[in-house]
Amino acid sequence: MKTQVAIIGAGPSGLLLGHLLRAEGVDCVVLERQTGDYVLSRIRAGVLEQITVSLMERLGLDARMKAEGLPHDGFNLADGERLIRIDIAGLTGKQVMVYGQTELTRDLMEASEARGLEVVYSASDLALHDVESDAPYVTYTKDGAEHRVDARFIVGCDGFHGPSRKSIPASVSTEFEKVYPFGWLGILSDVPPCNHELIYANHERGFALASQRSHTRSRYYVDVPLTEKIEDWSDDRIWDELAVRLGPEAAANITRGPSIEKSIAPLRSYIFAPMRFGSLLLCGDAAHIVPPTGAKGLNLAASDVHYAAEALTGFFARNAPDSIIAYSDKALARVWKAERFSWSLTKLMHRFPEDGPFERAMQVAELDYISSSRAAQTAIAENYVGLPA
Ligand code: RFL
Ligand code: PHB
């Protein structure tokens, strides 16, 4: 098979890019290792920035998001006693949209056939070849048969563990990494949220986040040491811990219920540069990971895809080959700022094993400063809502 762009991975990056390219008349195919149902079973992001919402609008795939998503004007930081509200709408004139990654992915998946976007699921043993040349190709196996896709470009949208990034030689790339000494234990439950806006809490006992997917579905997290086993966390133990860490005001409004999903996700900051090598471009988690504290992972994937679509349509539709060369620097400029914000909010809101009373006092002082400074709140709000692309 021959195409203009071979996209590896049908997560949100791969599907969004596929739709944007098809809308501009660029030929592409998306190759995914898992089944569609498996991709939809991964419970991940919940908060969309304007850039992600705008891409769905541009594609005309925003109807369900507009009907079922919850626009939020603000969120809260908690220090164990009080809530500090960050009025994102008042401070930036913008909003964020609470709409699950699963739902966004479903909307993209369901529209692919009608939009002429070919997605091959259950493609195993995928390998990239000749990515440094102008004639790269991908091989994979499906239903016992071997397949080959020749393309002008390959875009790696295959997440942190995918093969794309690994086909870029170490001699031309640099990795930046920070692994955090804790993970987030998440619980999803069909109960009303304890608050109409998100609450990120830094309590003596650790971090907690009260989030939501709808008026009837809640998503909560607590941080736990990486040595913890999910089997040791009964639903009751998680609800008890949330009630303490979120503080008395939120605790009074928590509705408990059975978990639909429960998992521990490690926290990491990671950047791979450059985000292009020869005819291979990287987008999303394939190139970078942020700790989830800033709600940036999916949104950064969307901004990469926006730049990649611009570069690729520039190449094919407008005869502008330089757009491909500019891709990595453009994408990385936004990535680094989102990495910085996610790292600083993670440091502010979590207890680190090496922290003593001094570091705790610094966190309390910073939260106190934020509570009284419009300038500090504006800086947080404009980063949270998403810096301009
Ligand atoms: P994905 O979603 O990992 O998709 C990659 C796809 O590539 C496929 N793949 C392969 N396909 C073919 N051949 C191979 N060899 C392949 N290897 C892998 C995979 O099966 C998969 O389908 O990456 P993508 O598209 O770049 O999207 C990134 C986002 O998923 C991620 O950044 C966010 O989920 C991060 N994240 C959050 N982001 C936000 O913007 N807001 C949030 O509120 C937010 N909360 C979160 C999060 C991530 C979390 N976890 C579990 C890591 C909360 C959590 C708990
Ligand atoms: C979520 O709802 O899963 C969520 C929300 C905000 C974050 C991270 C995760 O910062």
Side-chain angles (χ1 to χ4, degrees), residues 365-385:
E366 188 168 343
L367 285 165
D368 197 29
Y369 166 61
I370 292 167
S371 75
S372 61
S373 163
R374 188 179 166 88
Q377 290 176 16
T378 305
I380 292 176
E382 71 178 6
N383 277 281
Y384 192 83
V385 82

Side-chain angles (χ1 to χ4, degrees), residues 168-174 277:
I168 301 182
S171 57
V172 300
S173 57
T174 312
F277 173 66

Side-chain angles (χ1 to χ4, degrees), residues 44 46-47 184 198 200 209 211 213 219 221 292-295:
R44 290 184 171 176
V47 179
W184 278 18
L198 272 62
Y200 295 80
L209 168 59
S211 180
R213 291 288 178 274
R219 178 74 165 159
Y221 299 91
T293 324

Side-chain angles (χ1 to χ4, degrees), residues 41-44 184-190 218-222 224 228-240 242 257-265:
S41 72
R42 291 190 291 233
I43 308 293
R44 290 184 171 176
W184 278 18
L185 191 171
I187 182 173
L188 187 71
S189 183
D190 275 330
S218 299
R219 178 74 165 159
Y220 289 97
Y221 299 91
V222 289
V224 294
E228 289 293 300
K229 300 260 170 301
I230 194 77
E231 307 81 72
D232 295 331
W233 285 85
S234 65
D235 290 358
D236 277 340
R237 183 174 173 204
I238 301 175
W239 291 118
D240 288 346
L242 283 164
S259 59
I260 316 171
E261 195 265 358
K262 216 165 29 173
S263 53
I264 297 178

